[in-house]
Coordinates of all heavy atoms in Angstrom, one line a residue:
G132 N -27.5 37.4 -37.4 CA -26.6 36.3 -37.9 C -25.3 36.1 -37.1 O -24.5 35.2 -37.5
Q133 N -25.1 36.9 -36.1 CA -23.9 36.7 -35.3 C -24.1 36.3 -33.9 O -25.0 36.8 -33.2 CB -23.2 38.1 -35.2 CG -22.8 38.7 -36.6 CD -21.7 37.8 -37.2 OE1 -20.8 37.3 -36.6 NE2 -21.8 37.7 -38.5
P134 N -23.4 35.2 -33.4 CA -23.6 34.8 -32.0 C -23.1 35.9 -31.1 O -22.2 36.6 -31.4 CB -22.8 33.5 -32.0 CG -21.8 33.6 -33.0 CD -22.4 34.5 -34.1
A135 N -23.8 36.0 -29.9 CA -23.4 36.9 -28.9 C -23.2 36.1 -27.6 O -23.9 35.1 -27.4 CB -24.4 38.0 -28.7
Y136 N -22.3 36.5 -26.8 CA -22.1 35.9 -25.5 C -21.6 36.9 -24.5 O -21.2 38.0 -24.8 CB -21.1 34.7 -25.7 CG -19.8 35.0 -26.2 CD1 -18.7 35.4 -25.4 CD2 -19.5 35.0 -27.6 CE1 -17.5 35.7 -25.9 CE2 -18.3 35.3 -28.1 CZ -17.3 35.6 -27.3 OH -16.0 35.9 -27.8
L137 N -21.6 36.5 -23.3 CA -21.0 37.3 -22.2 C -19.7 36.7 -21.8 O -19.5 35.5 -21.7 CB -21.9 37.2 -20.9 CG -23.3 37.9 -21.0 CD1 -24.0 37.8 -19.7 CD2 -23.2 39.3 -21.5
E138 N -18.7 37.6 -21.6 CA -17.4 37.2 -21.1 C -17.4 37.7 -19.6 O -17.6 38.9 -19.4 CB -16.3 37.9 -21.9 CG -14.9 37.5 -21.4 CD -13.9 38.2 -22.2 OE1 -13.6 39.4 -21.9 OE2 -13.4 37.6 -23.2
I139 N -17.3 36.8 -18.7 CA -17.4 37.1 -17.3 C -16.0 36.8 -16.6 O -15.5 35.7 -16.7 CB -18.5 36.2 -16.6 CG1 -19.8 36.4 -17.4 CG2 -18.6 36.5 -15.1 CD1 -20.8 35.3 -17.1
T140 N -15.5 37.8 -16.0 CA -14.3 37.6 -15.2 C -14.6 37.9 -13.7 O -15.3 38.8 -13.4 CB -13.2 38.6 -15.6 OG1 -12.9 38.3 -17.0 CG2 -11.9 38.4 -14.8
Y141 N -14.2 36.9 -12.9 CA -14.6 37.0 -11.4 C -13.4 36.5 -10.6 O -12.5 35.8 -11.1 CB -15.9 36.3 -11.2 CG -15.8 34.8 -11.5 CD1 -15.5 33.9 -10.5 CD2 -16.0 34.3 -12.8 CE1 -15.4 32.5 -10.8 CE2 -15.9 33.0 -13.1 CZ -15.6 32.1 -12.1 OH -15.5 30.7 -12.3
Q142 N -13.5 36.8 -9.3 CA -12.5 36.3 -8.4 C -13.2 36.1 -7.0 O -14.1 36.9 -6.6 CB -11.4 37.4 -8.2 CG -10.2 36.9 -7.4 CD -9.0 37.8 -7.4 OE1 -9.1 38.9 -8.0 NE2 -7.9 37.4 -6.8
G143 N -12.8 35.0 -6.3 CA -13.3 34.7 -5.0 C -12.3 33.9 -4.2 O -11.2 33.7 -4.7
C144 N -12.7 33.5 -3.0 CA -11.9 32.8 -2.1 C -12.6 31.6 -1.4 O -13.8 31.6 -1.3 CB -11.4 33.7 -1.0 SG -10.4 35.1 -1.6
K145 N -11.8 30.7 -1.0 CA -12.3 29.7 0.0 C -12.0 30.3 1.4 O -10.8 30.6 1.6 CB -11.6 28.3 -0.2 CG -12.1 27.3 0.8 CD -11.6 25.9 0.4 CE -11.9 24.9 1.5 NZ -13.2 24.6 1.8
E146 N -13.0 30.3 2.2 CA -12.8 30.9 3.5 C -11.6 30.4 4.3 O -11.4 29.2 4.4 CB -14.1 30.6 4.3 CG -14.2 31.4 5.6 CD -14.7 32.8 5.3 OE1 -15.7 33.0 4.6 OE2 -14.2 33.8 5.9
D147 N -10.8 31.3 4.7 CA -9.6 31.0 5.5 C -8.6 30.0 4.9 O -7.9 29.3 5.6 CB -10.0 30.5 6.9 CG -10.8 31.5 7.7 OD1 -10.4 32.7 7.6 OD2 -11.7 31.1 8.4
R148 N -8.6 29.9 3.6 CA -7.8 28.9 2.9 C -7.0 29.5 1.8 O -5.8 29.5 1.8 CB -8.7 27.8 2.4 CG -8.0 26.6 1.8 CD -7.1 25.9 2.8 NE -6.2 25.0 2.1 CZ -6.3 23.8 1.9 NH1 -7.4 23.1 2.4 NH2 -5.4 23.1 1.3
L149 N -7.7 30.0 0.7 CA -6.9 30.5 -0.4 C -7.8 31.4 -1.2 O -9.1 31.3 -1.1 CB -6.4 29.4 -1.3 CG -7.4 28.6 -2.1 CD1 -7.6 29.2 -3.5 CD2 -7.0 27.2 -2.3
C150 N -7.2 32.3 -2.0 CA -7.9 33.2 -2.9 C -7.5 32.7 -4.3 O -6.3 32.5 -4.6 CB -7.6 34.6 -2.7 SG -8.4 35.2 -1.2
Y151 N -8.5 32.6 -5.2 CA -8.2 32.2 -6.6 C -7.7 33.4 -7.4 O -8.1 34.6 -7.1 CB -9.5 31.7 -7.2 CG -10.0 30.5 -6.6 CD1 -11.1 30.5 -5.7 CD2 -9.6 29.2 -7.0 CE1 -11.6 29.4 -5.1 CE2 -10.1 28.1 -6.4 CZ -11.1 28.2 -5.5 OH -11.6 27.0 -4.9
P152 N -6.9 33.2 -8.4 CA -6.7 34.3 -9.4 C -7.9 34.6 -10.1 O -8.9 33.8 -10.1 CB -5.6 33.7 -10.3 CG -5.7 32.2 -10.1 CD -6.3 31.9 -8.8
P153 N -8.0 35.7 -10.8 CA -9.2 36.0 -11.6 C -9.4 34.9 -12.6 O -8.5 34.3 -13.2 CB -8.8 37.3 -12.4 CG -7.8 37.9 -11.5 CD -7.0 36.8 -10.9
T154 N -10.7 34.5 -12.8 CA -11.2 33.4 -13.7 C -12.1 34.1 -14.7 O -12.9 34.9 -14.4 CB -11.9 32.4 -12.9 OG1 -11.1 31.8 -11.9 CG2 -12.4 31.2 -13.8
T155 N -11.9 33.7 -16.0 CA -12.8 34.2 -17.1 C -13.5 33.0 -17.7 O -12.8 32.0 -18.0 CB -11.9 35.0 -18.1 OG1 -11.3 36.1 -17.4 CG2 -12.8 35.5 -19.2
L156 N -14.7 33.2 -18.0 CA -15.5 32.2 -18.8 C -16.5 33.0 -19.7 O -16.7 34.2 -19.6 CB -16.2 31.2 -17.9 CG -17.2 31.8 -16.8 CD1 -18.6 32.0 -17.4 CD2 -17.3 30.8 -15.7
R157 N -17.0 32.2 -20.6 CA -18.0 32.8 -21.6 C -19.3 32.0 -21.5 O -19.3 30.8 -21.5 CB -17.4 32.8 -23.0 CG -16.2 33.7 -23.1 CD -15.7 33.7 -24.5 NE -14.6 34.7 -24.6 CZ -13.9 34.9 -25.7 NH1 -14.2 34.2 -26.8 NH2 -13.0 35.8 -25.7
L158 N -20.4 32.8 -21.5 CA -21.7 32.2 -21.6 C -22.5 32.7 -22.8 O -22.5 33.9 -23.0 CB -22.5 32.5 -20.3 CG -22.1 32.0 -19.0 CD1 -23.0 32.5 -17.9 CD2 -22.0 30.5 -19.0
P159 N -23.1 31.8 -23.6 CA -23.8 32.3 -24.8 C -25.1 33.0 -24.3 O -25.7 32.6 -23.3 CB -24.2 31.0 -25.5 CG -24.0 29.9 -24.6 CD -23.0 30.4 -23.5
L160 N -25.4 34.1 -24.9 CA -26.6 34.9 -24.6 C -27.8 34.1 -25.1 O -27.8 33.6 -26.2 CB -26.6 36.3 -25.2 CG -25.7 37.3 -24.4 CD1 -25.5 38.6 -25.2 CD2 -26.3 37.6 -23.1

Side-chain angles (χ1 to χ4, degrees):
Q133 298 295 320
Y136 57 90
L137 293 182
E138 182 179 83
I139 304 163
T140 300
Y141 60 94
Q142 188 172 5
C144 297
K145 177 170 173 61
E146 193 80 45
D147 298 324
R148 182 67 196 261
L149 71 92
C150 287
Y151 295 98
T154 301
T155 300
L156 58 83
R157 292 181 175 179
L158 294 178
L160 281 170

